[in-house]
Amino acid sequence: MTSSALTGAALERVVEHVRAVGDGVVSTLGPDGAPQAAYLPLAVTPSGELVFDAREGSRKVANLRRDPRVAVVVGGPGGTTLQVEGVADAPEGADRERCAAAYRSAFPQFAASLVDPGIVVVRVQARWARWGDYRSSPPVVEELVGGDGA
């Protein structure tokens, strides 16, 4: 898989936001093409990859193995939001360990689950991202990467 399209200030914005918020909604495409969403803890690697874990038998994992396109919203009551569209995979080897380390660092209480063979570490690499701060008027909205997102 190729690396995330995030660089520079956009990369810093994504990493800072995900670390500050720590959760969000992940949307995948079901077998019939309908969206399926789940609210999850989210971590981020220094290179801007979003990371979460899921059970091997979950709808998320089945959906992503069939169609790796994913949308993620990291937001909250604080008035800022991050929208990401990209592709997901279940990294192996050194990439899995790097992603698992980011997840363990963010959520030490879930560290034991990462050694369970029934748990998949999922990595999302952004192809499009937008950050918004709706605490001011007018709101500040920044397109961070890509140009074909909605």
Side-chain angles (χ1 to χ4, degrees), residues 14-123:
V14 167
V15 170
E16 175 184 290
H17 189 81
V18 175
R19 286 183 178 161
V21 175
D23 54 23
V25 176
V26 174
S27 297
T28 60
L29 297 172
D32 62 355
Q36 295 180 351
Y39 177 72
L40 301 166
L42 294 169
V44 64
T45 67
S47 58
E49 301 153 311
L50 305 183
V51 179
F52 61 91
D53 71 350
R55 292 228 162 263
E56 177 64 51
S58 70
R59 295 187 321 167
K60 287 178 293 305
V61 171
N63 291 346
L64 292 170
R65 291 196 192 285
R66 187 181 52 262
D67 185 336
R69 294 177 296 167
V70 63
V72 181
V73 176
V74 183
T80 59
T81 186
L82 173 69
Q83 301 169 41
V84 175
E85 294 175 6
V87 292
D89 71 343
E92 297 180 359
D95 281 342
R96 184 194 189 281
E97 181 47 41
R98 185 176 49 75
C99 291
Y103 194 80
R104 266 191 309 276
S105 176
F107 306 106
Q109 68 272 33
F110 302 138
S113 71
L114 297 174
V115 298
D116 180 337
I119 296 294
V120 176
V121 173
V122 178
R123 159 179 67 182

